[in-house]
Amino acid sequence: MTVAGEARERLSPRVAKQVRDLILTGAVRGGERLRTEHLAERLGVSATPVREALMALAGEGMVDFRPGRGFRVIPVTRRDVVDVYAMQAYVSGELAARAAEAFDPAGLARLDDLQREIEKTVREGDLDATERADFALHRMVNHAAAAPKFTWMLSLTLRYVPFSAYADIPGWPLLARDDHDRVLAALNERKPDAAREAMAAHIREAGDLLVDFLAAQGVLAAH
């Protein structure tokens, strides 16, 4: 493969992520036609990686492709988002259960530091810093589980989470501040079942907030 081909191959997944975010935040709506050249101009890339990204999204059920008619956005439903978060909650719960038996005192102390950082940044209204600390905390738990297949499956569900919208979701900063206590307690007490339940509940709650937000924005289709 040429250098240009390798660069384009790396670019296509990034373009696909950008288009997913456009769909999941309502920037482009269900049923809307996606013109390759317009997206290329909007995203500042050439048409080829956009076309490759759209074909990949067609395989994921995000867009519909018909020869001669091009690409259209498949409407996102409430059930779609709930299903994604149900999968994410299950996998995240399993990772937390395994992490409960893996953390050493230094790792647990680092988790507590990150939680204090979340509380501080919420007080200060620094949502970007809250998001960074929250993601760092979850990454630590997932990494400690040492379960690469589960981590890979989690990464697939995270494709459908519009991280760019988190700062706009009412209640999200408070969820990040208040909803980790049960998770951290279970990890500190080395209780896998309790960690699984607490993490899964936390992820489902995040999904409920996102569903309510997207519904209020008119993003979700009725069926």
Side-chain angles (χ1 to χ4, degrees), residues 115 174-183 198 201-203 205:
Q115 185 59 24
L174 297 182
L175 182 71
R177 184 193 69 187
D178 300 336
D179 211 35
H180 289 156
D181 288 346
R182 287 179 59 211
V183 176
H202 173 55
I203 298 300
E205 179 66 20

Side-chain angles (χ1 to χ4, degrees), residues 4-5 7-9 11-13 15-16 36-37 39-41 45-56 71:
R8 190 181 69 243
E9 194 172 76
L11 183 58
S12 295
V15 173
T36 302
E37 62 276 11
L39 276 174
E41 182 178 356
V45 297
S46 67
T48 298
V50 171
R51 191 175 300 108
E52 292 172 347
L54 291 176
M55 289 302 296
F71 299 92

Side-chain angles (χ1 to χ4, degrees), residues 97-104 144-146 190:
R98 297 190 186 193
E101 299 178 308
F103 270 116
D104 59 18
R190 295 186 177 276

Side-chain angles (χ1 to χ4, degrees), residues 21 24-25 85 158-166 169 210 214:
D21 281 353
L24 290 168
T25 58
Y85 270 87
L158 292 175
R159 292 180 180 182
Y160 307 101
V161 179
F163 292 118
S164 60
Y166 268 165
I169 299 174
L210 178 60
L214 295 178

Side-chain angles (χ1 to χ4, degrees), residues 74-156:
I74 294 176
V76 178
T77 68
R78 177 181 292 267
R79 174 53 59 189
D80 291 333
V81 181
V82 169
D83 286 348
V84 167
Y85 270 87
M87 290 186 288
Q88 188 181 146
Y90 173 78
V91 176
S92 295
E94 292 303 312
L95 288 167
R98 297 190 186 193
E101 299 178 308
F103 270 116
D104 59 18
L108 292 170
R110 175 58 181 152
L111 287 180
D112 286 338
D113 288 343
L114 286 169
Q115 185 59 24
R116 301 292 85 75
E117 179 69 13
I118 290 170
E119 293 167 2
K120 174 177 178 289
T121 56
V122 169
R123 283 196 305 271
E124 296 172 348
D126 189 345
L127 297 184
D128 287 341
T130 300
E131 183 176 316
R132 288 193 298 272
D134 181 58
F135 289 168
L137 186 150
H138 281 274
R139 279 196 301 269
M140 274 198 69
V141 174
N142 297 337
H143 180 73
K149 296 298 187 296
F150 268 134
T151 303
W152 172 74
M153 285 187 280
L154 180 63
S155 73
L156 295 180

